[in-house]
Amino acid sequence: MTPRRTRLLGRLEAFLLCAFGVMAWLFARGPSYTALMNPSFRWVTLTGAVLLTSLGLVLFLKPRRAPGRSAFVSFAVLALLVVLGRPDQSIGASIVPPDVGPVLPREGYDELLLENLFRTLSEEVEDVPEGKVVAQGRVHTIARDDGSVQHILLCPKVACCLADALAYAVRLELPPGVAPLEGASWVYVYGDLAKPDAPVALPPFRVGAIAYTAVSRNYLLRPEEFVDYRTLLEDVTGKIPEVQCAAFRNALQATGLEKVLQGEGTFTVFAPVDSAFLRQLRTLAPAGSDTVEAPRLRRYLESFIVPTSLSRSDLLEHPTLETLSGRRLEVEVANGRPVVEGARILFADQLGRNGIVHIVHPAWPPAAD
Amino acid sequence: MDETFRIFAAIATAIALEAMPFLALGALLSAVIEVFVSPARLARVVPRSAAGQIALGLSAGLVVPTCECGVVPVARRLLTKDVPGPTVVAYLLSAPILNPVVLVSTFVAFRGSWTMVGARAAVAVVVAGTVAVLVRRLPRKDLVRESAAANHEDAHAHDMPGNRLLAVWRHAAIDFLEMGKYLILGALAAAAFKTFVPPAVVSLFEGNLVLSILGMMALAILLSVCSEADAFVAASFVTFPAAAHLAFVSIGPMVDIKLIGLYAATFRRRLFVLLLAVPIVLVFLLSLLFGVLS
């Protein structure tokens, strides 16, 4: 190799070292980091990135006397892989649950994640307490030979990086009449931990970037309650069938507010039951008419939506709430429970993908124009 | 882009990103030793007796916690500084296990099992000690490859007079480049294994003690999981016996795909063979013994 080419190669490998450091820095600062790495290690990656960039800069000033092609090629291959593979958040979809906001639907849900439950099971001792448990995980479905579907709850875990991603898992035995769960959906489960008469061994399987999944042979979970990560609007109407909020839902759709709720940001929705909502709607309609003008209706609906996610316990700490319409709602506390603008919360903390729904009664009257 | 390829690329990138800071820190520590610590000073620290030299190597990880990626450049530098082979090899093999971070993670992953922590530490001591004893028989010139020495001289030739800090940085950069290429190759190989080998293959090994130990050792070598995380991975293989878990967490920090590349780049053939063969044989036998006794 001529001296000129040697110098060029030396500078190129120093440049690649810098580029690797910069790439690591940008990656650690970006949203894709959690898909590939345990977020606790972000500071380690950032430190390494700074160090590497500085190493590259010093080497650029004084390149190696005898640079090897192999180092250059291997770093170039890695760079090519990053460019072609574009590792982003979608890679971590099988591992990282969606952002669900700060509140869990049942007290203690986060205290016994499936990971802990499964580690208990893995001890294979006889005195594992059977009974009610709560778990968060990702649903996986396997078709049985008889045509039915075996549901499995996975708890993905990343200790350091994607290479050590694994999933603890337990079979779900759905009660009769419950519709099959959708595969790849994320759910909270509340139910009974049970030990069937005979162990059931399922082969390990691959889920996305998780190469190995260990399913408990000796235990299964009989769910009583699911809370899934559905859209906010679906939760309003579909989550609690015994409460009728159809009028409120229809009004949201008619005024286009449904799209707002499905968009960016988190929300708290106070959804009045039908009877209360329709009573107030009648006062909004002009004399002699049954219909409410759309802008007026929208403004009224906006007074039920707060642009942040607040649980029932959060409400206790907020004496006033500013809604999308600009109206301020007064929150009082009666017997330790929040009362919003004079309305009681019938069902609190219905968790949605991007916020929380509280079912209220009665509906507060429209603000004076 | 094909989803499988994207997963392969993501895993390879993740391994490289995870190991990169530790390799860089190892290279930096190695460079500090090179520039600031003279062979005479090191010689004063190292005991004269063989037992003392090995004991120093075994305990060094407790003082200077180092993962398996960072330990290789440090070991190479120590050898070029005339630190006795047994000390360096004992440090090389034991430091990724006999350090506080890894021992605590083992304790947590195995739900407070002192037996597993003790067994892992014991295997590390026996294996590292044995290789260290065997290294005493090798001539000193049969330890480090010439290419490593050439880089060493290249770095010296370019030292900037009067600025030792820049010299440290330049040494570290050269070390990182030399080691980094093998790290990347190892990351690619481990990612390929994790992406393309059917998971059901693993379950073929779980029914028999010997097969389960061999299977988990092969898995540890192919997966190249960091020693700080490997206990969690091992514990997840609940259908495998404790002896297989022990084999997994013992062999991985001493021999895996990315380490094989790093060893090949650093050490001469006889030491390279020792570093691979002895840990594999001993970890298997000790895990088998653990399985029979437990």
Side-chain angles (χ1 to χ4, degrees):
Chain A
M1 206 186 298
T2 63
R4 193 175 166 188
R5 290 187 69 179
T6 303
R7 256 199 317 278
L8 181 65
L9 190 60
R11 291 210 195 282
L12 272 177
E13 67 177 16
F15 172 76
L16 271 180
L17 208 54
C18 284
F20 190 33
V22 171
M23 182 203 81
W25 174 271
L26 293 175
F27 187 74
R29 297 293 303 268
S32 305
Y33 188 80
T34 49
L36 267 64
M37 307 286 291
N38 182 335
S40 311
F41 290 96
R42 198 186 298 267
W43 69 273
V44 177
T45 309
L46 287 170
T47 307
V50 172
L51 179 57
L52 220 56
T53 309
S54 65
L55 293 180
L57 286 173
V58 170
L59 200 62
F60 196 82
L61 295 174
K62 281 276 183 187
R64 273 203 288 182
R65 199 180 253 180
R69 285 195 185 91
S70 53
F72 175 79
V73 169
S74 60
F75 277 88
V77 165
L78 182 68
L80 192 65
L81 212 56
V82 173
V83 171
L84 291 178
R86 287 189 195 165
D88 57 18
Q89 283 169 297
S90 64
I91 288 291
S94 58
I95 297 169
V96 184
D99 181 15
V100 294
V103 180
L104 296 171
R106 178 182 286 276
E107 206 171 318
Y109 251 86
D110 57 343
E111 291 171 7
L112 184 56
L113 299 180
L114 187 56
E115 175 195 340
N116 300 333
L117 166 68
F118 196 69
R119 284 202 196 151
T120 306
L121 305 187
S122 70
E123 293 293 290
E124 295 189 354
V125 291
E126 293 300 318
D127 59 346
V128 169
E130 295 179 30
K132 304 290 184 194
V133 295
V134 285
Q136 175 204 32
R138 184 177 192 266
V139 175
H140 182 72
T141 55
I142 296 177
R144 291 197 185 103
D145 292 340
D146 63 2
S148 61
V149 174
Q150 170 70 64
H151 290 86
I152 294 166
L153 189 66
L154 308 173
C155 175
K157 167 99 180 146
V158 173
C160 284
C161 75
L162 205 57
D164 59 49
L166 56 96
Y168 305 95
V170 66
R171 286 173 292 135
L172 292 174
E173 190 178 86
L174 300 189
V178 171
L181 293 173
E182 195 179 325
S185 58
W186 287 82
V187 293
Y188 285 96
V189 176
Y190 173 75
D192 284 310
L193 178 64
K195 191 171 185 179
D197 297 334
V200 176
L202 292 176
F205 47 84
R206 191 185 297 278
V207 182
I210 303 170
Y212 185 85
T213 304
V215 186
S216 174
R217 289 184 297 185
N218 298 324
Y219 290 87
L220 56 80
L221 202 53
R222 292 198 177 105
E224 284 181 11
E225 184 184 338
F226 292 101
V227 179
D228 62 19
Y229 293 62
R230 292 182 296 181
T231 63
L232 195 57
L233 192 64
E234 283 171 323
D235 264 348
V236 173
T237 54
K239 186 68 198 132
I240 310 174
E242 66 267 32
V243 176
Q244 294 296 313
C245 296
F248 185 73
R249 180 198 60 188
N250 292 340
L252 287 175
Q253 287 173 337
T255 54
L257 277 171
E258 178 192 29
K259 288 194 168 51
V260 174
L261 293 179
Q262 290 170 344
E264 293 291 312
T266 57
F267 303 95
T268 302
V269 176
F270 297 100
V273 295
D274 280 353
S275 58
F277 183 64
L278 291 171
R279 190 175 301 127
Q280 293 298 341
L281 274 193
R282 280 194 285 274
T283 68
L284 267 183
S289 170
D290 288 338
T291 55
V292 183
E293 294 166 10
R296 206 171 183 195
L297 177 59
R298 182 179 171 115
R299 190 165 177 76
Y300 179 49
L301 291 171
E302 285 175 344
S303 74
F304 290 90
I305 302 171
V306 179
T308 184
S309 186
L310 295 168
S311 69
R312 176 160 60 184
S313 57
D314 291 334
L315 291 174
L316 295 173
E317 297 167 7
H318 289 75
T320 58
L321 305 168
E322 182 157 354
T323 63
L324 286 184
S325 69
R327 176 175 176 173
R328 299 181 80 83
L329 305 176
E330 302 290 329
V331 181
E332 296 172 335
V333 180
N335 299 321
R337 297 181 176 189
V339 176
V340 183
E341 203 72 5
R344 286 183 301 122
I345 295 179
L346 302 181
F347 296 93
D349 296 346
Q350 302 305 309
L351 186 73
R353 178 180 58 80
N354 58 339
I356 293 176
V357 179
H358 305 291
I359 311 296
V360 295
H361 180 84
W364 39 86
D369 289 333
Chain B
M1 188 59 66
D2 175 53
E3 185 64 16
T4 309
F5 175 78
R6 291 190 68 230
I7 290 173
F8 163 72
I11 294 175
T13 309
I15 296 175
L17 272 176
E18 179 202 29
M20 170 270 296
F22 297 101
L23 188 64
L25 282 172
L28 197 62
L29 182 59
S30 153
V32 168
I33 294 170
E34 172 60 31
V35 175
F36 290 103
V37 185
S38 67
R41 183 177 290 182
L42 279 173
R44 282 200 294 274
V45 177
V46 178
R48 289 180 185 277
S49 71
Q53 289 174 358
I54 295 172
L56 177 67
L58 291 173
S59 56
L62 293 169
V63 185
V64 190
T66 325
C67 71
E68 70 270 23
C69 301
V71 78
V72 180
V74 178
R76 179 172 85 169
R77 186 69 64 203
L78 291 173
L79 284 173
T80 61
K81 287 277 184 176
D82 295 333
V83 174
T87 305
V88 176
V89 167
Y91 168 67
L92 174 73
L93 293 178
S94 68
I97 295 176
L98 295 179
N99 75 64
V101 178
V102 172
L103 293 178
V104 167
S105 76
T106 308
F107 182 78
V108 173
F110 288 97
R111 291 183 59 80
S113 169
W114 285 110
T115 308
M116 185 56 78
V117 175
R120 187 178 192 186
V123 171
V125 168
V126 172
V127 174
T130 306
V131 181
V133 168
L134 293 172
V135 163
R136 292 182 67 216
R137 297 171 177 273
L138 294 181
R140 187 149 193 95
K141 63 180 176 54
D142 279 356
L143 299 182
V144 187
R145 284 172 65 91
E146 282 171 9
S147 58
N151 279 316
H152 170 78
E153 283 165 18
D154 175 40
H156 262 308
H158 284 254
D159 277 357
M160 293 146 216
N163 198 334
R164 300 174 86 186
L165 193 62
L166 278 179
V168 167
W169 245 246
R170 193 160 179 284
H171 271 294
I174 292 172
D175 264 1
F176 184 87
L177 276 174
E178 281 304 305
M179 301 276 162
K181 61 188 178 190
Y182 295 101
L183 174 75
I184 291 170
L185 284 177
L188 294 175
F193 171 79
K194 207 164 159 53
T195 311
F196 300 115
V197 175
V201 169
V202 176
S203 55
L204 297 176
F205 295 90
E206 66 187 26
N208 173 283
L209 180 63
V210 172
L211 279 180
S212 66
I213 292 172
L214 288 173
M216 287 291 270
M217 285 176 66
L219 200 62
I221 292 169
L222 293 168
L223 284 181
S224 299
V225 178
C226 177
S227 63
E228 283 153 28
D230 61 1
F232 294 98
V233 178
S236 74
F237 288 88
V238 290
T239 52
F240 282 72
H245 294 160
L246 177 63
F248 185 95
V249 297
S250 300
I251 194 67
M254 298 185 195
V255 180
D256 66 28
I257 286 185
K258 63 181 189 297
L259 280 176
I260 291 172
L262 291 173
Y263 289 167
T266 307
F267 306 116
R268 295 186 71 100
R269 196 176 61 181
R270 291 172 72 182
L271 178 55
F272 174 72
V273 172
L274 269 187
L275 288 172
L276 262 54
V278 177
I280 288 173
V281 172
L282 277 184
V283 166
F284 172 72
L285 293 176
L286 292 169
S287 300
L288 194 60
L289 181 67
F290 180 79
V292 171
L293 295 178
S294 60

